[in-house]
C-alpha cells in the first residue's frame, strides 16, 4: 500500500484517495441527503493514477477488472467475464459492454493497454513499477532493459484484454483489484496535455465516484456520484466531502458539532472515548518501522547506521509492549517482524506468516543485550557518542508521540546516543525520504494485497521505495527465487519468503515498531462502508446514511 509518507491513516498514505475525509459545510439541522463528511489527514498529492504514492481510497474513483470487496475478497469490476489458461500464464478479461468513463466515453480494452504502458514509461516516474513484476517482460521493463510497449497486455478486440505472465502469480487475481492496474483514457491525456490531472476537471473516472473541487493544492475536495459508472444504481451516496484535519482536537470538535461524520482519535482521546457507543477501531496491515539511511550524505553517520550491532541495539532498546499498550493505547499491536500479522497464512499448515518470521532477540525488549550490542558497535566504530536525527511526517496523530518515546527509550538505554527529532509536514517527509535526506525515518508500509511479498519486495536493492538503500545479495536472491524459480510451487515460495523475512529480522535493516490500529468516532447513521486491512482500505460504493 502504499508507500505512505509518515505514518497515519493513510493520509498521503492514500495519496490519490486519502485518509478518511471531510468538508464540514453543513449544519446539523439541514444535513443534505446522502452526503458523507470525512476528515483527511493530508491533502491529495496527485490524482494521476500512474503517479500515485498510495491507493487506499483510489478504488472509489478508479476501477480495474476487479475491485476489493468485503473481507479482502475480490469482487466484480469492469470485467464481466474472465478465463485463465491451464498453465495459469494467460488471463483473458472481457470488459463490460456498459463500462463508461465519467465523460461518457466507452471504456475499451485499449484503455487498459495504454494505462499499463503509460505507468511503466520512465518519464512518468511511477512509484509502483515493481508491481508489474511477473507480468510478461515486466521485470525487463522495470530494469530498463525493455520498452514499456512490450508489457504482456494486448487488446484482442475492443472489449477483450489478454494478459500474459512470465510465470504463474499466486496473487494475480487480487493484484488485478488494485487500482494501479485500472484503465486510463489516452484521448483525455492527450487533450489536456500538461494540464492533465492538475485539477479534478482535467481527469476522467471509471469508479463509483468522480473527484470535484480539487485544484492541486486545496484542503477540501469531494467525491461525487459517477452516473456513468456501470453499477451506478447501487451507489446511494450523492457526495463525499473531504476536509484536511491535521489536529485531532479540531477533528473531534468538528465531529461533536456535527460537521464531520468520522473523527480520527489521538492516543489520549482513545482513552476518553473507548467506551463510547460511536467508538470504532479499524485494523490495518501496516507496520510502522524505522528506516536507516545506508547512503547517508554524512559519511560518519553512514558508518554508524551500517553497523549491525548499532541497529540491533536500537531494536532491543524499544519496549514495544509498553509502546503499544501504554503509550499508544489504541489497539495497535507488537510486530514479530517486517511483515504484518493477519495478512497471509502458510499454504501447508495454515500458520500465520508473522509467527514464522520471528527471530529470537530481534523485536523483543532486552536492554541488557542492547547495551552489549551498543558497546560492541561503538568499539567497532571507534566512537563514544552517536548523534542522529529521526524524521517523521505529521500526517499521523501518533508521529510526535512515537518519536518522543523513541528518544526517551534510546537515550536512556544506550549511553552516548543523542537523538534529534524532526517532525515535518507530510509533503516534506515524502520529498526528503525519496531523495535520501534523512538519518532515521519513522516510516510505514501497508500491504497492497494479502501476500507477504507486498512487504518483502520493498527491501530489494533495486526497489525505488527502498529509501535507505539497504542492499543484501542473499535477500535479493531469496526474493528473486520466490518470484521466479519457485513461483509455481506455493510451499517452496513460502519458505523463500520466510527465510527472507528472518534475514530482515536478524540484520535489523528495518526496525519494526508496531502494527497500526486506528480509532475513530463514527456517526451511527453511517452504514455500508467496506473497510479492508490491505490494499484499497476504504470503499464507499455501498455506503449510505440512514
Amino acid at each position: 500500500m502504499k508507500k505512505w509518507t509518515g505514518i497515519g491513516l493513510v493520509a498521503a498514505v492514500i495519496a490519490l484517495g486519502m485518509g478518511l475525509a471531510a468538508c464540514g459545510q453543513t449544519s446539523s439541522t439541514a444535513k443534505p441527503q446522502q452526503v458523507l463528511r470525512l476528515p483527511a489527514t493530508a491533502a491529495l498529492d496527485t490524482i494521476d493514477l500512474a503517479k500515485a504514492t498510495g491507493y487506499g481510497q483510489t478504488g472509489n474513483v478508479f476501477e480495474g477488472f476487479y475491485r476489493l470487496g468485503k473481507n479482502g475478497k475480490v469482487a466484480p469490476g469492469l470485467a464481466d467475464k474472465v478465463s485463465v489458461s491451464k498453465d495459469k500464464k494467460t488471463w483473458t478479461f472481457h470488459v463490460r459492454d456498459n463500462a463508461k468513463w465519467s465523460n461518457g466515453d466507452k471504456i475499451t480494452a485499449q484503455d487498459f493497454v495504454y494505462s499499463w504502458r503509460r505507468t511503466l514509461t520512465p518519464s512518468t516516474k511511477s512509484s509502483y513499477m515493481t508491481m508489474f513484476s511477473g507480468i510478461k517482460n515486466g521485470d525487463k521493463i522495470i530494469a530498463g532493459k525493455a520498452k514499456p510497449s512490450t508489457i504482456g497486455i494486448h487488446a484482442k478486440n475492443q472489449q477483450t484484454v489478454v494478459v500474459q505472465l512470465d510465470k504463474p502469480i499466486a496473487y494475480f487475481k487480487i493484484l488485478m483489484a488494485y487500482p494501479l492496474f485500472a484503465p486510463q483514457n489516452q484521448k483525455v491525456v492527450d487533450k489536456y496535455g500538461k494540464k492533465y490531472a492538475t485539477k479534478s476537471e482535467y481527469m476522467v473516472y471509471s469508479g463509483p465516484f468522480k473527484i470535484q473541487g480539487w485544484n492541486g493544492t486545496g484542503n477540501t475536495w469531494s467525491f461525487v456520484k459517477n452516473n456513468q459508472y456501470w453499477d451506478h444504481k447501487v451507489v446511494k451516496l450523492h457526495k463525499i466531502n473531504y476536509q484536511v484535519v491535521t489536529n485531532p482536537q479540531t477533528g473531534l470538535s468538528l465531529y461533536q458539532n456535527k460537521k464531520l461524520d468520522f473523527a480520527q482519535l489521538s492516543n489520549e482521546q482513545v482513552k476518553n472515548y473507548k467506551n463510547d457507543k460511536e467508538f470504532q477501531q479499524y485494523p490495518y496491515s501496516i507496520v510502522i518501522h524505522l528506516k536507516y539511511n545506508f547512503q547517508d550524505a554524512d559519511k560518519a553517520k553512514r558508518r554508524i547506521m551500517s553497523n549491525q550491532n548499532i541497529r540491533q541495539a536500537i531494536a532491543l532498546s524499544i519496549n514495544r509492549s509498553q509502546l503499544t499498550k501504554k503509550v499508544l493505547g489504541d489497539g495497535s499491536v507488537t510486530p514479530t517482524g517486517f511483515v504484518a500479522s493477519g495478512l497471509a497464512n502458510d499454504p501447508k499448515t495454515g500458520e500465520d506468516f508473522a509467527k514464522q518470521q520471528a527471530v529470537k532477540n530481534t523485536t523483543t525488549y532486552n536492554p541488557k543485550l542492547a547495551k552489549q550490542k551498543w558497546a560492541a558497535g561503538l568499539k567497532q566504530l571507534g566512537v563514544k557518542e552517536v548523534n542522529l536525527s529521526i524524521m517523521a511526517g505529521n500526517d499521523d496523530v501518533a508521529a510526535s508521540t512515537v518519536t518522543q518515546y523513541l528518544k526517551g527509550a534510546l537515550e536512556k538505554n544506550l549511553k552516548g546516543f543523542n537523538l534529534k527529532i524532526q517532525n515535518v509536514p507530510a509533503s516534506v517527509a515524502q520529498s526528503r525520504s525519496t531523495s535520501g535526506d534523512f538519518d532515521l525515518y519513522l516510516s510505514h508500509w501497508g500491504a497492497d494485497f494479502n501476500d507477504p511479498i507486498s512487504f518483502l519486495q520493498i527491501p530489494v536493492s533495486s526497489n525505488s521505495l527502498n529509501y535507505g538503500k539497504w542492499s543484501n545479495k542473499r535477500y535479493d536472491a531469496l526474493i528473486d527465487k520466490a518470484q521466479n524459480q519457485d513461483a509455481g510451487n506455493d510451499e517452496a515460495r513460502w519458505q523463500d519468503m520466510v527465510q527472507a523475512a528472518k534475514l530482515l529480522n536478524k540484520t535489523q535493516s528495518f526496525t519494526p515498531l508496531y502494527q497500526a490500529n486506528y480509532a475513530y468516532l463514527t456517526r451511527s447513521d453511517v452504514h455500508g462502508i467496506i473497510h479492508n486491512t490491505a490494499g484499497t482500505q476504504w470503499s464507499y460504493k455501498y455506503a449510505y446514511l440512514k
Side-chain angles (χ1 to χ4, degrees), residues 26 61 67 91 129 200 292 326 340 362 395 424 436-437 459 471 504:
T26 13
V61 289
R67 63 183 295 110
W91 290 64
M129 284 179 70
S200 50
Y292 301 91
K326 294 184 179 177
T362 56
D395 54 328
V424 299
D437 181 16
S471 183
L504 288 178

Side-chain angles (χ1 to χ4, degrees), residues 47 49 61-63 100-105 107 111 183-189 191-192 196-197 199-207 209-211 226:
I47 59 168
L49 188 69
V61 289
F62 297 112
E63 185 170 282
K100 291 181 181 179
W101 291 101
S102 55
N103 66 353
D105 287 353
I107 295 175
D111 290 334
Q184 297 177 51
N185 188 322
Q186 184 174 4
K187 189 176 84 174
V188 173
V189 176
K191 175 184 176 181
Y192 292 121
Y196 179 72
K199 291 185 179 181
S200 50
E201 59 261 40
Y202 301 145
M203 173 59 72
V204 286
Y205 309 91
S206 56
F209 299 91
K210 54 187 180 179
I211 302 174
N226 177 10

Side-chain angles (χ1 to χ4, degrees), residues 149-164:
S149 59
T150 63
I151 189 68
I153 182 173
H154 69 270
K156 186 177 179 181
N157 54 48
Q158 191 182 34
Q159 299 300 114
T160 308
V161 183
V162 179
V163 177
Q164 292 172 297

Side-chain angles (χ1 to χ4, degrees), residues 290-303:
L290 288 179
K291 277 188 172 74
Y292 301 91
N293 192 348
F294 293 89
Q295 295 294 325
D296 199 300
D298 185 316
K299 190 176 179 181
K301 289 181 177 180
R302 199 186 318 154
R303 280 188 71 230

Side-chain angles (χ1 to χ4, degrees), residues 77-339:
L78 295 178
D80 58 359
K81 290 193 281 285
V82 183
S83 63
V84 188
S85 62
K86 281 186 178 180
D87 65 2
K88 298 181 181 177
K89 292 200 291 185
T90 302
W91 290 64
T92 304
F93 300 91
H94 182 268
V95 181
R96 297 174 185 279
D97 293 332
N98 63 338
K100 291 181 181 179
W101 291 101
S102 55
N103 66 353
D105 287 353
K106 190 174 181 65
I107 295 175
T108 67
Q110 187 57 35
D111 290 334
F112 283 90
V113 177
Y114 171 74
S115 176
W116 290 22
R117 290 176 178 175
R118 178 174 180 266
T119 298
L120 287 168
T121 299
S123 59
T124 301
K125 297 181 179 177
S126 169
S127 297
Y128 275 75
M129 284 179 70
T130 54
M131 296 276 278
F132 289 85
S133 175
I135 296 169
K136 188 177 180 181
N137 293 325
D139 292 297
K140 290 179 183 176
I141 296 167
I142 293 163
K145 295 176 181 177
K147 293 180 179 179
S149 59
T150 63
I151 189 68
I153 182 173
H154 69 270
K156 186 177 179 181
N157 54 48
Q158 191 182 34
Q159 299 300 114
T160 308
V161 183
V162 179
V163 177
Q164 292 172 297
L165 310 181
D166 280 330
K167 66 263 179 175
I169 298 176
Y171 50 88
F172 187 71
K173 186 174 182 179
I174 199 163
L175 189 67
M176 289 298 100
Y178 204 61
L180 171 71
F181 299 97
Q184 297 177 51
N185 188 322
Q186 184 174 4
K187 189 176 84 174
V188 173
V189 176
D190 292 343
K191 175 184 176 181
Y192 292 121
K194 289 184 179 179
K195 283 184 176 180
Y196 179 72
T198 58
K199 291 185 179 181
S200 50
E201 59 261 40
Y202 301 145
M203 173 59 72
V204 286
Y205 309 91
S206 56
F209 299 91
K210 54 187 180 179
I211 302 174
Q212 281 188 0
W214 183 77
N215 62 8
T217 57
N219 285 334
T220 61
W221 63 90
S222 300
F223 285 1
V224 178
K225 182 177 178 177
N226 177 10
N227 288 316
Q228 298 289 346
Y229 178 59
W230 69 270
D231 204 19
H232 67 91
K233 289 181 181 177
V234 307
V235 181
K236 295 175 183 175
L237 287 178
H238 295 159
K239 199 177 197 181
I240 304 169
N241 284 329
Y242 288 87
Q243 176 181 326
V244 173
V245 179
T246 56
N247 185 308
Q249 191 52 52
T250 302
L252 183 59
S253 296
L254 288 167
Y255 180 86
Q256 290 172 332
N257 289 318
K258 295 186 166 53
K259 298 289 180 74
L260 285 182
D261 296 312
F262 271 64
Q264 186 180 355
L265 300 176
S266 69
N267 314 107
E268 285 304 312
Q269 290 168 339
V270 166
K271 295 165 188 173
N272 297 327
Y273 289 93
K274 61 185 178 183
N275 295 319
D276 193 292
K277 62 179 172 50
E278 296 187 336
F279 177 83
Q280 282 198 46
Q281 290 184 312
Y282 293 93
Y284 279 86
S285 294
I286 298 171
V287 173
I288 285 73
H289 59 274
L290 288 179
K291 277 188 172 74
Y292 301 91
N293 192 348
F294 293 89
Q295 295 294 325
D296 199 300
D298 185 316
K299 190 176 179 181
K301 289 181 177 180
R302 199 186 318 154
R303 280 188 71 230
I304 289 166
M305 284 177 288
S306 295
N307 186 288
Q308 186 166 303
N309 279 318
I310 294 292
R311 298 194 306 274
Q312 289 173 331
I314 289 172
L316 292 164
S317 296
I318 302 162
N319 186 335
R320 291 166 182 77
S321 178
Q322 184 183 58
L323 174 61
T324 54
K325 290 174 183 168
K326 294 184 179 177
V327 179
L328 294 172
D330 57 3
S332 293
V333 296
T334 301
T336 59
F338 190 58
V339 178

